[in-house]
Amino acid sequence: MYIIGENIHILSDAVKAGLRDRDAGFFQKLAVSQVEAGAQALDLNLGPRKKDGEEVFPWMVKAVQEVVDVPLSLDSTNLRGIEAGLKEITKAQPIINSTSAEEERLEAVPLLAKKYNAKLVALTMGKSGIPVSADERVNIAIEKLIPRMLEIDYPVSDLIIDPLVLTVSGCQEYAPELIEAVRTLQVVWDPPPAISVGLSNVSNAVPNEGRPLINRVYCAMLMGVGMNMMIADPLDEKQNELVRIIEERDDSTAVGKLYLAISDSIAAMEEPSIDDVDMDDPEQAEIWKTVQILLNKVIYAESYLQQ
Amino acid sequence: MPIEIPVDKWPGTVNTVTLGATAADGGTRSKVVTIGGERSLPFMHFENETPHPPVIALEMTAARPGDWSQVLLDAWGDVVDDPARWAGACEEAGADLILLMFGLNDADGNPVTPDFAVGTVKAVLQATGLPLVVLGPGQAEVDNEILVPVADATKGERLVLGLCEDANYRTIVASAMANGHLVLGRTPMDVNLAKQLNILMTDMGLPLDRIVMDPTTGALGYGIEYGYSVMERLRLAALQGDAMTQLPMLVNPGYEAWRTKESKVGEGVPDTWGDWAARGTHWETLTAVSLIEAGADVVVLRHPDSVTRVREAIDELMTLETA
């Protein structure tokens, strides 16, 4: 699993404070801890930074590059800020996060990626928003995103398509469709673009104590359809353990065995079976209930585990 | 060419809920109303029979309503100043049950008290044999202050008490459980929140067959499609077997329709809008019938003429040919 570490994110209060104080040491620590935990790239989400993007991005890139060698993903809607940051890249091939299929973005962002030899995250989202169905999202990739890359002679192998994970709390019908979009996107082009998802978005608006389980179960399901890149928290040890279980096919524990069974069913386009679950084991019962909400079989509610 | 109608087989059933109790069951109602029990989407008679047709409630208030359309006040006349007479008029207009709504004040403009609430509910129960829904003004403190004594004073009647909402349900649920009543839960047009409230209420030990849910909706032209979708989604989940969504649904097309401009305003509108009173009842009737198609088990109306018209629609839907 290629994890793009998500922890340098403007929505975090600590990150906000660190930015305000231009506290390079804070970001260097956050970068090192993520890489040590296994992150193979780092996302730098600094928000729009309309006023000072052209100053903040270079500053951040320089600070983080002093301590880590991994690719940096410049995550903003401020293109000038991103370009200023790209100019300071001296180590690995950077990533621009992101373009969408909206005309203006798709016109400008790929050109920037080409100019600076950056990889490019492209969202399957057009001007009318994020479609529910897997097919429509795949169509955006085939009809809009990839053709634009070909048009400007940008290598599709440097393209990273993000089919957009939405929260199970309010956008539940999107959850199973996203799984199918990930499955299909791997076969739409030769060579195939990389596919990356923002895993923890699936539990946005879910109370904090409920989020890790939902993230883990969704991760197992997505790994079943071949997901091998995600923007995620590399410090989440239980999530790392889940990834290891699936990758190494470790069925030495009952829970591991269940996760593998779920992942394999999704891989085979079958519904996971309750026969694989020991409902007397509370941990397995919770995993099963979570599968049900992620497949949109049972309506999500904050207390869905109590049902 | 013969057309084969696809038939769905659903594993789930909507709960059957009985509102009101006769003397034989510890109440004083002359008739009770049973709702729910659906095993198919509305009026798919070729799949399963509809065990209980949708029912019509008429809404009345404990004190003369300050914000009702003049059309409604004209239709009801002076009974709006006397809850007992108003209840009788609702029964005469053909309602299956009555929804009695308390505001923050009594008829004299003073804050409602437990005595006023109990007195009003008792007077209404005496004036009509129909089952009764009793709702507080929707402010937690006032609701609890008046609904608890009402529940105590009417033990065994199987009233529907509300509103139970996310922030205030414990007292009302406990009080209903202790006195053999039912409750109404309301959530703001959201399937996740609707289900969550049902989990919380049943978690207190209240049996599912004593809860009715109000998923909230909008009037025709004012968001009815959102309400419709939420109701449809809840009903599909219920039929698929999700126990925490298998509750009969009560909605308020009367309240929603009569606060639209089209119903509320009689002057300064284009002539092509036609007769004010007719327009208002059209709006209410169309809103109600649409929500019945979405799966409503109880529609709460305000205008007596709408009762007749919605009843005709229900009768027609219940006897659809299913060749």
Side-chain angles (χ1 to χ4, degrees):
Chain A
M1 179 66 66
Y2 188 101
I3 294 181
I4 303 171
E6 70 182 2
N7 300 11
I8 298 180
H9 196 297
I10 192 67
L11 288 181
S12 145
D13 289 336
V15 167
K16 267 181 219 156
L19 264 184
R20 190 190 55 226
D21 304 340
R22 295 291 189 273
D23 181 352
F26 168 80
F27 289 105
Q28 288 170 338
K29 247 190 247 169
L30 202 47
V32 169
S33 66
Q34 291 187 81
V35 171
E36 281 177 353
Q40 296 181 58
L42 293 181
D43 195 57
L44 307 176
N45 184 329
L46 308 186
R49 306 298 311 183
K50 278 193 187 133
K51 282 188 196 146
D52 59 4
E54 286 163 81
E55 180 258 314
V56 167
F57 270 97
W59 175 82
M60 177 70 73
V61 166
K62 276 193 246 176
V64 174
Q65 265 189 160
E66 274 177 30
V67 292
V68 298
D69 298 331
V70 300
L72 302 179
S73 159
L74 306 185
D75 189 347
S76 175
T77 48
N78 181 344
L79 269 196
R80 286 160 172 250
I82 287 182
E83 179 159 16
L86 287 170
K87 286 180 176 161
E88 299 301 327
I89 295 283
T90 56
K91 291 187 169 170
Q93 184 185 21
I95 303 168
I96 297 177
N97 191 3
S98 58
T99 184
S100 69
E102 289 159 285
E103 219 165 283
E104 268 178 37
R105 303 284 299 167
L106 196 54
E107 171 67 31
V109 188
L111 289 173
L112 192 64
K114 186 175 175 187
K115 181 174 172 189
Y116 289 90
N117 184 32
K119 294 195 178 199
L120 174 61
V121 176
L123 311 175
T124 58
M125 176 175 78
K127 65 171 183 294
S128 50
I130 303 169
V132 179
S133 84
D135 285 351
E136 281 179 71
R137 280 188 253 187
V138 170
N139 282 344
I140 290 178
I142 303 175
E143 291 167 6
K144 295 267 168 65
L145 301 176
I146 293 175
R148 174 64 178 149
M149 304 309 145
L150 300 176
E151 184 184 24
I152 64 162
D153 200 21
Y154 176 89
V156 174
S157 52
D158 276 348
L159 183 64
I160 302 170
I161 294 184
D162 179 344
L164 288 158
V165 171
L166 294 177
T167 175
V168 76
S169 170
C171 303
Q172 206 180 340
E173 67 275 24
Y174 289 79
E177 295 287 341
L178 182 278
I179 295 174
E180 293 314 311
V182 170
R183 189 197 305 274
T184 310
L185 282 169
Q186 294 167 84
V187 296
V188 297
W189 207 259
D190 186 23
I195 296 153
S196 168
V197 300
L199 181 68
S200 60
N201 286 332
V202 74
S203 59
N204 278 342
V206 172
N208 278 337
E209 63 274 18
R211 297 193 63 172
L213 175 67
I214 295 176
N215 296 349
R216 280 201 297 283
V217 174
Y218 205 42
C219 186
M221 296 166 82
L222 284 166
M223 287 179 79
V225 291
M227 190 248 310
N228 56 16
M229 182 188 276
M230 61 184 184
I231 298 186
D233 176 7
L235 305 178
D236 182 335
E237 286 175 17
K238 283 193 165 179
Q239 185 168 285
N240 294 341
E241 172 62 5
L242 176 271
V243 169
R244 186 195 66 75
I245 285 172
I246 307 275
E247 284 180 344
E248 297 177 6
R249 297 201 61 81
D250 177 359
D251 60 1
S252 62
T253 63
V255 165
K257 207 170 175 175
L258 175 57
Y259 272 127
L260 278 169
I262 291 166
S263 190
D264 290 349
S265 318
I266 300 291
M269 301 187 81
E270 285 164 7
E271 264 185 41
S273 164
I274 196 162
D275 298 339
D276 294 320
V277 191
D278 175 2
M279 292 300 277
D280 293 331
D281 174 354
E283 197 179 351
Q284 290 189 51
E286 289 193 343
I287 291 169
W288 179 250
K289 288 177 180 176
T290 305
V291 168
Q292 297 306 298
I293 62 156
L294 288 168
L295 288 177
N296 199 21
K297 297 280 176 200
V298 174
I299 292 181
Y300 167 80
E302 271 184 29
S303 305
Y304 76 96
L305 292 175
Q306 285 172 36
Q307 190 186 352
Chain B
M1 200 178 96
I3 296 169
E4 197 173 320
I5 297 178
V7 173
D8 278 316
K9 281 207 166 102
W10 301 100
T13 307
V14 177
N15 303 326
T16 301
V17 175
T18 299
L19 286 56
T22 60
D25 292 313
T28 63
R29 304 298 77 210
S30 59
K31 68 173 261 203
V32 300
V33 166
T34 299
I35 56 173
E38 295 95 332
R39 290 186 293 143
S40 290
L41 289 172
F43 312 110
M44 300 286 168
H45 304 302
F46 53 89
E47 289 182 357
N48 282 302
E49 64 164 6
T50 307
H52 306 288
V55 298
I56 300 169
L58 269 171
E59 176 180 354
M60 55 169 285
T61 56
R64 183 187 182 86
D67 60 348
W68 281 31
S69 163
Q70 189 59 41
V71 173
L72 292 168
L73 297 176
D74 290 346
W76 287 110
D78 62 359
V79 302
V80 297
D81 292 310
D82 180 347
R85 284 178 59 215
W86 195 351
C90 290
E91 185 166 356
E92 260 171 54
D96 297 302
L97 68 158
I98 290 170
L99 183 142
L100 171 61
M101 181 82 202
F102 282 90
L104 288 168
N105 295 321
D106 68 13
D108 301 322
N110 302 314
V112 287
T113 60
D115 283 349
F116 169 73
V118 170
T120 306
V121 170
K122 285 199 158 175
V124 169
L125 285 170
Q126 205 133 44
T128 173
L130 300 181
L132 190 61
V133 181
V134 179
L135 302 187
Q139 289 189 9
E141 262 177 47
V142 185
D143 281 11
N144 295 343
E145 188 191 336
I146 65 172
L147 289 172
V148 173
V150 164
D152 289 341
T154 57
K155 192 177 173 83
E157 290 281 11
R158 289 183 75 89
L159 303 184
V160 182
L161 302 172
L163 287 169
C164 290
E165 295 180 287
D166 174 39
N168 185 48
Y169 64 90
R170 291 175 177 279
T171 307
I172 300 171
V173 169
S175 184
M177 279 167 71
N179 294 288
H181 296 304
L182 290 65
V183 300
L184 178 67
R186 180 181 292 168
T187 44
M189 247 195 261
D190 180 303
V191 290
N192 304 125
L193 297 178
K195 178 171 172 177
Q196 175 67 8
L197 181 60
N198 295 339
I199 295 176
L200 294 174
M201 290 193 294
T202 48
D203 216 33
M204 287 183 67
L206 182 66
L208 273 167
D209 68 354
R210 278 167 55 189
I211 310 177
V212 179
M213 65 174 165
D214 176 356
T216 313
T217 181
L220 182 67
Y222 294 82
I224 194 172
E225 57 276 34
Y226 294 99
Y228 193 105
S229 295
V230 167
M231 293 169 73
E232 190 178 44
R233 178 87 180 82
L234 285 167
R235 182 53 52 86
L236 284 168
L239 296 173
Q240 280 157 1
D242 184 344
M244 289 302 149
T245 61
Q246 290 172 336
L247 287 69
M249 295 185 280
L250 174 150
V251 286
N252 296 279
Y255 164 77
E256 296 294 348
W258 286 102
R259 68 191 185 124
T260 67
K261 184 183 178 193
E262 288 80 353
S263 304
K264 213 167 178 173
V265 179
E267 286 169 12
V269 300
D271 288 343
T272 49
W273 284 21
D275 179 69
W276 181 17
R279 187 168 71 234
T281 45
H282 282 322
W283 220 270
E284 179 174 39
T285 302
L286 283 169
T287 301
V289 174
S290 303
L291 297 176
I292 284 171
E293 300 269 16
D297 296 275
V298 183
V299 287
V300 184
L301 305 179
R302 285 187 170 180
H303 197 292
D305 290 352
S306 301
V307 177
T308 320
R309 302 167 71 180
V310 173
R311 177 82 63 206
E312 274 172 26
I314 292 173
D315 289 346
E316 208 170 311
L317 286 164
M318 287 300 291
T319 54
L320 282 178
E321 292 286 332
T322 56

